[in-house]
Amino acid sequence: MRELMDIIKSRRPTRSFVPGKLPPRAQIEQLVEAAQWAPSGMGKQLWHFTVLYNAEKSRALAATVAQATGRGADYNFYGAPVHIIISYQRGEYHAYLDGSAAMENLLLAAEDLGLGACWINQIRDACDEPDVRAALTALGVPEDHIVIASAAVGYTDQPTPAKPRKEGTVTFVE
């Protein structure tokens, strides 16, 4: 098994997926399990994970989001065959922190399993638009939830190079 720091340093956003190549469902279940084991404020775990293990349904949701946000007809979550939506009970104080922790676990697990993944925010920004909300509800996102983030998942077609880390971002106080 790879060391944790190697996994952290290797993780990159994937914006180009191998078309039509669906990862095994068992691997996607492992991603969601990793997300479920993220820390949550006061241990509430008021999140919900909606897995679109169907490229057509993912594309349909992307089209709805694109129309609501003016992104254009090409918008398609980078053509990923799987899309995982992390939602959280509306009005919960820790929602964005908990959902972000869950997303990071999911992204690191994807890297460890040899899958590509990209954190997507557009559904979050449009989740209360009427057409998007209707689509989300139809897909199983609880009506009393807001979308925190989502992930496009699949096999990487074109890797993303690492960006150097910025200098001067750490201060030690002794």
Side-chain angles (χ1 to χ4, degrees), residues 37-173:
W37 279 95
S40 69
M42 301 175 67
K44 290 183 178 180
Q45 303 174 48
L46 298 175
W47 45 43
H48 184 85
F49 304 92
T50 304
V51 180
L52 304 183
Y53 192 68
N54 180 304
E56 290 301 318
K57 290 183 180 183
S58 182
R59 277 193 287 279
L61 178 60
T64 303
V65 170
Q67 187 169 15
T69 61
R71 290 199 161 268
D74 294 3
Y75 186 70
N76 66 358
F77 303 141
Y78 305 111
V82 178
H83 204 82
I84 302 172
I85 301 166
I86 300 174
S87 62
Y88 214 90
Q89 190 173 72
R90 185 180 299 279
E92 176 59 35
Y93 180 75
H94 298 106
Y96 286 97
L97 300 171
D98 294 359
S100 295
M103 177 58 75
E104 183 66 8
N105 277 15
L106 186 152
L107 295 173
L108 292 173
E111 174 63 27
D112 191 42
L113 292 170
L115 296 173
C118 187
W119 185 322
I120 306 274
N121 286 318
Q122 286 70 32
I123 302 174
R124 178 198 69 208
D125 296 340
C127 77
D128 286 328
E129 295 292 328
D131 290 344
V132 175
R133 181 75 253 174
L136 291 170
T137 300
L139 291 169
V141 176
E143 288 195 37
D144 65 340
H145 278 215
I146 55 171
V147 172
I148 303 302
S150 66
V153 179
Y155 291 103
T156 302
D157 191 23
Q158 296 176 11
T160 303
K163 291 184 179 180
R165 299 296 98 179
K166 292 183 179 182
E167 297 287 327
T169 61
V170 178
T171 301
F172 275 88
V173 179

